[in-house]
Amino acid sequence: MKATTKARQRGISFIGLLFVAVVLACVGVVVAQVIPTLIEYQAILKAANKAKEGTTVPEVRAIFDRQQAIDDFKSVSGADLDVRKNGEKVVVAFAYDREIHLFGPAYLTLKYKGESN
């Protein structure tokens, strides 16, 4: 009688490993392109919060444009702001889209919207 026992191997094959690596690399490339847009959004939000210190619409836009020059973002300018009063409080709102080219005709569209606190 043969007493050979074959242990069942477990794990991932080389082809499976390559597939997982390609998927992770693609996700990593997209994330690496999205992170700068999130940092830019934070800078725009910071500028909007600083601009709400103004009392008139031109003053709010001028404060925002000065902050834009300091933080060096291009997606929103002072002319793109929606400035309104909520009671005695000035509210500065903005909205914009960013497109990230993925491959061929495929784009990832990010829609950002925010307002001062």
Side-chain angles (χ1 to χ4, degrees), residues 26-97:
C26 291
V27 169
V29 167
V30 171
V31 167
Q33 291 178 351
V34 168
I35 287 175
T37 67
L38 291 173
I39 293 170
E40 181 183 47
Y41 171 76
Q42 292 296 322
I44 293 170
L45 190 59
K46 184 176 103 178
N49 284 327
K50 181 125 176 113
K52 75 177 182 180
E53 297 170 0
T55 55
T56 64
V57 173
E59 185 181 359
V60 167
R61 291 184 176 172
I63 293 170
F64 186 86
D65 285 337
R66 281 195 299 270
Q67 195 67 30
Q68 177 190 17
I70 292 169
D71 289 337
D72 193 31
F73 55 83
K74 309 260 189 280
S75 295
V76 179
S77 67
D80 299 328
L81 298 177
D82 177 27
V83 182
R84 63 184 185 276
K85 278 203 162 198
N86 189 2
E88 291 297 315
K89 188 176 164 184
V90 175
V91 177
V92 180
F94 60 91
Y96 65 99
D97 297 341

